[in-house]
Amino acid sequence: MFYREAGQFKATYAADQAVFPIRQDRIGLALILVAAYVAVPLLGGDFLLSSVMIPFLILSLAAIALNILTGYAGLVSLGTAGFMGAGAYAAYKLSTLFPQVNILVWIVVSGFASCAIGVLFGLPSLRIKGFYLTVATLASQFFLQWCFVRVSWLYNYNPSGAIEVPARALFGLAITGPSASPVTRYLIVLTIVVAMTWFASNLVHGRIGRSWMAIRDMDIAAQLIGIRLYPAKLLAFAVSSFYAGVAGAMMVFLWLGAAEPDAFNINLSFLLLFMVIIGGLGSLTGSFFGAALIHILPIAVRQAPASVGLTIGGATVEHLTYVITGAMIIVFLIVEPHGLARLLQIGKQKLRTWPFPY
Amino acid sequence: MNIAASPHATGAQGAAHGGPLRDPLLAVESISLSFGGLKAVSEVSFDIRRGEIRAIIGPNGAGKTSMLNCINGFYHPQEGRITFKGVARRRMKPHEAASQGIARTFQNVALFKGMSTLDNIMTGRALKMRRGFLWQLLRHGPALAEEIEHRKFCEEIIDFLEIEHIRKTPVGKLPYGLQKRVELGRALAMEPDLLLLDEPMAGMNVEEKRDMSRFILDVNRHFGMTIALIEHDMGVVMDLSDRVVVLEYGRKIADGSPDEVKSNQRVIDAYLGVAR
Ligand SMILES: Nc1ncnc2c1ncn2[C@@H]1O[C@H](COP(=O)(O)OP(=O)(O)O)[C@@H](O)[C@H]1O
Ligand SMILES: [Mg+2]
């Protein structure tokens, strides 16, 4: 491994202010993008695309949404799934009310709908902190979930109470509905997730991200520096619920194809919180790690025994997953609160200075 | 450091050497602050002149920190008036005090522990950065130019405080003395007109104290920054300050040049006598 910055002297602050100042990191990122855009669709089967990659990417985006609020701004939320649902139902209503507008437009616009609801719930939460704020987000979760069940206008009075994704196309190519191919859906999800991750990365590395982290670390000092708490926190709510809304809309339109209100229940909110904790609070890369681990772990637990000739029941798989996830959360909370992302960083630091300890 | 090149700093520097040195930057008039039944500050009045180092001393619990908290809007005194740059005000919020040019450091370091030294100091530029949300999303063009311009400014502060080597270190991992230095850097990044330092040398060894004294003097002499300094080390106070105000049990018991204060019998009884 030649993970070194030797010889890479940053002549300008512009180069050093870059999000990835080390060349190997930039090359690594480029390789990942090439693999994601070329290798995965070419080599991966439908199972890999539909059941592994698409859910992984969408959950990563939802984890980023929560990480912005919790990891960066320090506001612990248990309402992420509710906001995902808000985005999903908004996209459903908009695409059935105005079928002539492209569904991709509605997916993005539904982010704004979720954002508006997030701001609405965020406003009364600005004055409360810590535990009380978390309880308030829990209330928003239950309220939204109640709406998804009770407000039948939201699911177009469908007797089953579920929303079913209408078939929609882009340039004649089916992108939602049963006839949309996994590759098409995967590439759309990938593009949206890459673009939104890039925007999020720009935000958290600049003035706004610094003011969020300042509030997270020491809100009194942040105020005395001139940061206004309420607007900054509200912005975190807005951005976070926008991201959650888009993730929710994609979850229904590009992953599940249909959804019952239960898809956006409190379990999903908890799962996202686990992803953020295990992946790394305050790290976008960590959001991807966390999503990968939490989503792929049950799949691996299911398939690993089969590959060595054992058969285990579905309930056992579920229990095993819970046990492993729970153990990991405890380990990370105690040993490395910054999650997998920090472990990677430490590993890179070791490589950079190897073989010298400092 | 290039702070002197900025318009207000040269103005203040001019003032320090030239005419209106007597002009009070801040005037505190019969401030009283109580918490429930406890009077933390009682009818204290004093002023801080442009370009001076004004020490506030007194035994523990005398109300020094509370006084600073009133000045930067963190506490709201029940009585009295504070006039800053000629404008009197009753209540103001901490972020408003910041935007009017008051910066401070804390008795117990109040850094952003999860952020690097550089990011902490960059955060001090929050009020100077103007590019809006959409530019921040793109981090290109004007937003990046702004980011780099402020990075340059912060690098000058980092050079000045001799903390280049810990630029990228999360401040939570730094020893206490360096954290205090980073906190000073963050306050300097605000380019304040009035800098409030709450025991900047508490818990430091002799060498660190000497460095910190040098930085404080340089900030004052070269960049013309007005400083209010709370400090327990009498040697440091006598060396650095132009004038000293002494508090005891929330009341002002003396006010004057270091020599005057040092020979004041009440001060000797109340403070020096006890401390030494
Ligand atoms: N937020 C507060 N709530 C209650 N009492 C306080 C608070 N802040 C300060 N005090 C009290 O006010 C008095 C002055 O404290 P302080 O200003 O910290 O003194 P100093 O900085 O001179 O040591 C002390 O008796 C202290 O206990
Ligand atoms: Mg104090």
Side-chain angles (χ1 to χ4, degrees), chain B residues 49-89:
Chain B
R49 296 171 189 154
R50 260 180 218 282
E52 78 173 337
I53 297 183
R54 181 72 141 133
I56 304 174
I57 64 171
N60 277 325
K64 307 180 295 295
T65 301
S66 302
M67 195 66 236
L68 290 199
N69 284 338
C70 291
I71 293 175
N72 69 5
F74 191 57
Y75 288 167
H76 302 293
Q78 282 85 8
E79 280 161 57
R81 195 164 64 152
I82 296 174
T83 312
F84 182 60
K85 293 195 218 167
V87 184
R89 39 100 176 175

Side-chain angles (χ1 to χ4, degrees), chain A residues 55-57 59-61 63 275 279 286-296:
Chain A
F56 156 66
L57 288 170
L59 290 172
S60 300
L61 192 66
M275 291 178 200
S287 308
F288 285 90
F289 287 150
L293 212 76
I294 296 276
H295 179 67
I296 293 168

Side-chain angles (χ1 to χ4, degrees), chain A residues 139-348:
Chain A
S140 77
Q141 165 75 38
F142 285 126
F143 175 75
L144 289 171
Q145 228 178 302
W146 179 86
C147 291
F148 303 151
V149 177
R150 297 287 162 194
V151 186
S152 36
W153 174 81
L154 281 176
Y155 45 88
N156 289 352
Y157 310 101
N158 186 342
S160 74
I163 50 177
E164 274 156 42
V165 170
R168 294 283 184 267
L170 176 70
F171 307 126
L173 187 70
I175 53 176
T176 69
S179 54
S181 81
V183 174
T184 318
R185 287 186 287 127
Y186 167 74
L187 287 176
I188 290 172
V189 169
L190 179 63
T191 305
I192 293 177
V193 171
V194 166
M196 288 180 70
T197 305
W198 181 70
F199 283 131
S201 160
N202 288 340
L203 269 191
V204 301
H205 283 95
R207 167 176 68 84
I208 291 172
R210 283 192 297 267
S211 64
W212 284 340
M213 291 187 277
I215 291 173
R216 172 196 70 190
D217 285 352
M218 183 73 71
D219 59 353
I220 292 168
Q223 276 174 290
L224 295 174
I225 274 178
I227 293 168
R228 298 171 61 193
L229 292 192
Y230 294 173
K233 285 188 189 179
L234 206 55
L235 185 63
F237 267 106
V239 175
S240 169
S241 44
F242 179 90
Y243 273 66
V246 173
M250 288 203 297
M251 179 169 152
V252 173
F253 278 77
L254 297 164
W255 168 14
L256 300 174
E260 303 197 342
D262 213 33
F264 305 105
N265 65 13
I266 180 79
N267 286 355
L268 180 58
S269 286
F270 268 113
L271 226 47
L272 288 165
L273 193 60
F274 296 160
M275 291 178 200
V276 168
I277 291 172
I278 293 178
L281 285 160
S283 159
L284 297 180
T285 327
S287 308
F288 285 90
F289 287 150
L293 212 76
I294 296 276
H295 179 67
I296 293 168
L297 185 69
I299 299 177
V301 170
R302 207 172 300 132
Q303 304 212 324
S307 63
V308 295
L310 285 171
T311 44
I312 56 172
T316 319
V317 168
E318 200 172 319
H319 294 155
L320 262 179
T321 313
Y322 278 134
V323 169
I324 299 177
T325 313
M328 278 195 307
I329 288 166
I330 293 168
V331 166
F332 274 108
L333 281 181
I334 295 170
V335 179
E336 186 48 82
H338 296 283
L340 288 169
R342 174 58 59 88
L343 290 184
L344 179 80
Q345 206 180 331
I346 293 171
K348 282 207 261 183

Side-chain angles (χ1 to χ4, degrees), chain B residues 65 107 198-199:
Chain B
T65 301
Q107 185 171 347
D198 196 346
E199 303 196 18

